[in-house]
């Protein structure tokens, strides 16, 4: 019976044969170290990011390689996996009454454990819809997120963040993913990274503490005490969570 590394290597090589690529060409197309596959064959644990890049180049979902690398019987292995629930979706320009799906609609996925997180920090998934961040996350990507109060810090420049806006006029909430930046004036700037001209203007929040959701809030019903009023007539803005990884990109034709 093949072990985790053998299964992973077999899957990678099968996809290389389908694409008609050599080992060197595969590593070049994936943008990873040219010795990456050789290192796996020698028993070195691959990083999840490396497997995700290989999966993208070889046109399979990242989970096809990630799950192959996970131990199947509880033994220590290349990757330890745990259950994460995809609880909702983010999509610019869509205003809804509820931001979190009913628990019966949650999607159960397996994601590699993340030793960087503080003890007890809960991860949850969000499905990307629309093109408001498609330069980084194509529609269909699954984002793995952690709330900032679980990270024990606020947002830092370069973080990809989940942003919620509440509009009394429109009667609903909008949840999107943005890139956070504190500019030279101390303002909080939330940038879309989109190919769509309709989603290229940033949200700019004045100086002061970043409007981060408190522990009293949840993805479904937020505590808006710390929300920032964007501009006259614009919705309230609240930063809830940080994107820490992407488990699955949109499906590609094989």
């Amino acid at each position: 019976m093949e072990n985790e590394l053998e299964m992973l290597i077999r899957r990678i090589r099968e996809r290389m044969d389908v694409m008609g690529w050599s080992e060197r060409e595969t590593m070049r197309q994936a943008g990873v170290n040219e010795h990456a596959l050789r290192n796996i064959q020698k028993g070195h644990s691959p990083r999840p990011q490396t497997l995700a890049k290989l999966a993208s180049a070889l046109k399979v979902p990242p989970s096809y390689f990630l799950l192959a690398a996970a131990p199947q019987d509880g033994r220590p292995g290349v990757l330890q996996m745990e259950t994460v629930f995809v609880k909702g979706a983010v999509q610019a320009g869509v205003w809804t009454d509820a931001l979190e799906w009913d628990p019966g609609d949650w999607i159960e996925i397996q994601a590699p454990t993340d030793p960087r997180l503080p003890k007890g920090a809960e991860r949850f998934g969000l499905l990307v819809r629309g093109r408001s961040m498609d330069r980084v996350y194509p529609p269909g990507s699954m984002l793995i997120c952690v709330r900032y109060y679980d990270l024990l810090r606020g947002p830092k420049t370069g973080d990809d963040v989940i942003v919620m806006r509440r509009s009394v006029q429109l009667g609903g909430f909008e949840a999107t993913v943005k890139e956070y930046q504190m500019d030279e004036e101390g303002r909080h700037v939330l940038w879309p990274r989109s190919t769509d001209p309709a989603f290229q203007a940033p949200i700019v929040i004045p100086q002061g503490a970043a409007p981060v959701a408190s522990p009293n809030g949840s993805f479904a019903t937020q505590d808006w005490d710390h929300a920032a009023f964007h501009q006259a007539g614009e919705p309230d803005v609240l930063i809830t969570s940080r994107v820490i990884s992407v488990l699955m990109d949109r499906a590609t034709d094989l």
Side-chain angles (χ1 to χ4, degrees):
M1 180 177 178
E2 63 185 0
N3 62 30
E4 294 85 18
L5 281 179
E6 291 169 342
M7 181 186 297
L8 174 61
I9 293 166
R10 173 174 59 78
R11 289 188 175 187
I12 293 173
R13 289 204 173 278
E14 286 174 351
R15 292 304 304 165
M16 288 168 55
D17 290 342
V18 169
M19 302 298 290
W21 292 343
S22 66
E23 181 178 321
R24 175 175 292 182
E25 178 65 11
T26 301
M27 302 306 112
R28 187 186 72 81
Q29 292 283 349
V32 301
N33 187 291
E34 63 178 12
H35 301 302
L37 183 56
R38 211 167 306 164
N39 290 337
I40 297 172
Q41 291 172 318
K42 290 179 181 179
H44 297 295
S45 299
R47 300 192 323 172
Q49 295 92 327
T50 298
L51 295 183
K53 289 180 180 179
L54 285 168
S56 178
L58 293 170
K59 299 189 182 301
V60 293
S63 56
Y64 185 64
F65 292 158
L66 289 168
L67 294 178
Q72 304 299 313
D73 57 5
R75 295 179 290 110
V78 177
L79 293 172
Q80 297 289 336
M81 309 293 284
E82 63 183 28
T83 299
V84 174
F85 290 99
V86 179
K87 297 184 175 183
V90 287
Q91 183 174 8
V94 175
W95 298 82
T96 62
D97 293 330
L99 296 173
E100 186 175 292
W101 299 334
D102 291 333
D105 295 327
W106 291 358
I107 302 170
E108 181 177 329
I109 60 176
Q110 296 295 310
T113 57
D114 194 330
R116 301 171 301 171
L117 296 178
K119 184 177 180 180
E122 177 192 3
R123 296 188 296 171
F124 62 95
L126 294 173
L127 177 65
V128 176
R129 292 175 175 162
R131 297 170 55 194
S132 64
M133 200 70 169
D134 63 351
R135 291 186 185 275
V136 185
Y137 307 119
S141 297
M142 288 189 180
L143 310 179
I144 308 298
C145 309
V146 177
R147 295 176 179 84
Y148 272 106
Y149 64 76
D150 276 343
L151 289 175
L152 308 177
R153 70 166 177 86
K156 297 179 180 179
T157 294
D159 284 0
D160 288 343
V161 299
I162 303 302
V163 179
M164 298 203 323
R165 296 200 291 172
R166 177 183 65 172
S167 175
V168 176
Q169 291 85 354
L170 295 176
F173 300 88
E174 177 195 45
T176 62
V177 57
K178 297 286 191 291
E179 181 180 322
Y180 174 86
Q181 176 190 15
M182 179 177 284
D183 68 11
E184 295 179 353
E185 299 177 21
R187 300 178 302 176
H188 309 281
V189 185
L190 303 170
W191 287 99
R193 299 301 183 193
S194 175
T195 60
D196 189 335
F199 299 117
Q200 293 183 357
I203 298 172
V204 181
I205 300 169
Q207 297 173 341
V212 177
S214 75
N216 296 326
S218 69
F219 186 62
T221 54
Q222 292 289 343
D223 173 3
W224 287 87
D225 289 345
H226 304 291
F229 203 63
H230 171 33
Q231 293 173 353
E234 292 288 336
D236 293 334
V237 177
L238 195 64
I239 300 171
T240 70
S241 314
R242 182 189 177 193
V243 178
I244 61 170
S245 63
V246 184
L247 180 62
M248 186 178 297
D249 296 323
R250 62 181 170 183
T252 53
D253 294 332
L254 300 182

